[in-house]
Amino acid sequence: MRDHFGARSSLTGVMILLYGLGFATSFTIGRWADGLGKERVRTAVLAELVPALAGVPLVTERTALLVICLVPWGVLHSLAVTLLSTLLSECSERHRGTVLAFYSLASNPTVALGAALLAPLFTSHGFTAVGWACAAITPLAFGPSAWMYLRDKRPRSAISPPTRRRSKGDDTC
């Protein structure tokens, strides 16, 4: 069934499907991230998302390249979201529910706000402009992630004076 958007609507559906297939991979590659270190993988994923977000809009007129790019974009996005929620849930055994509730409280309205703010950009300038905007915003997450990863790589004495050993159930973040 064709709607008033015609073939464009069909391509959009295929794009969403391919992106979704990539996004659905986080459960299969989560063990890989665990083995390499969640912080390291999160930092690398955020760094790789910037060129992915900037590159996908550049190939929208080349269907074959677009198809090839959408699945990895979904994979990277899925990993970023999954790793962030996993790392947050590991911060505090005692406060896990509260931490995840605040994460949802922050992320869900942010997604809605982002869609609302980028809708006029999409309407006036198309998908390419939205991709560039998202690529420009992503370093805001990459910067703190890279800093935290590098901070954790320093010897503990360079970060803070020795403290008491933590027992199970203490906050770890």
Side-chain angles (χ1 to χ4, degrees):
M1 172 184 241
R2 292 178 69 104
D3 58 12
H4 65 284
F5 293 108
R8 188 176 188 194
S9 180
S10 297
L11 180 60
T12 301
V14 170
M15 288 172 60
I16 292 168
L17 176 65
L18 292 170
Y19 170 80
L21 287 172
F23 200 89
T25 63
S26 66
F27 76 93
T28 61
I29 53 182
R31 291 187 194 276
W32 170 74
D34 287 341
L36 291 173
K38 291 180 199 90
E39 294 87 359
R40 176 187 301 167
V41 173
R42 178 199 59 214
T43 303
V45 163
L46 289 170
E48 292 168 18
L49 261 176
V50 174
L53 288 167
V56 168
L58 296 175
V59 298
T60 56
E61 300 299 320
R62 296 179 181 98
T63 305
L65 284 175
L66 182 61
V67 166
I68 292 168
C69 292
L70 286 172
V71 173
W73 177 32
V75 170
L76 290 170
H77 187 197
S78 175
L79 269 172
V81 170
T82 302
L83 287 170
L84 180 58
S85 61
T86 300
L87 288 166
L88 285 172
S89 71
E90 292 174 351
C91 280
S92 172
E93 201 173 299
R94 185 173 21 147
H95 300 293
R96 179 175 289 139
T98 304
V99 168
L100 292 176
F102 277 111
Y103 170 67
S104 291
L105 182 65
S107 62
N108 293 334
T110 303
V111 169
L113 181 64
L117 293 175
L118 291 174
L121 184 64
F122 177 77
T123 303
S124 61
H125 299 290
F127 181 67
T128 302
V130 173
W132 283 106
C134 291
I137 293 168
T138 301
L140 296 175
F142 169 72
S145 294
W147 175 77
M148 289 172 57
Y149 175 71
L150 292 172
R151 182 195 67 184
D152 288 345
K153 297 304 270 180
R154 292 188 305 193
R156 286 288 170 203
S157 60
I159 298 172
S160 62
T163 58
R164 68 174 177 83
R165 291 179 70 93
R166 293 176 187 230
S167 62
K168 189 172 180 146
D170 279 355
D171 295 344
T172 57
C173 288

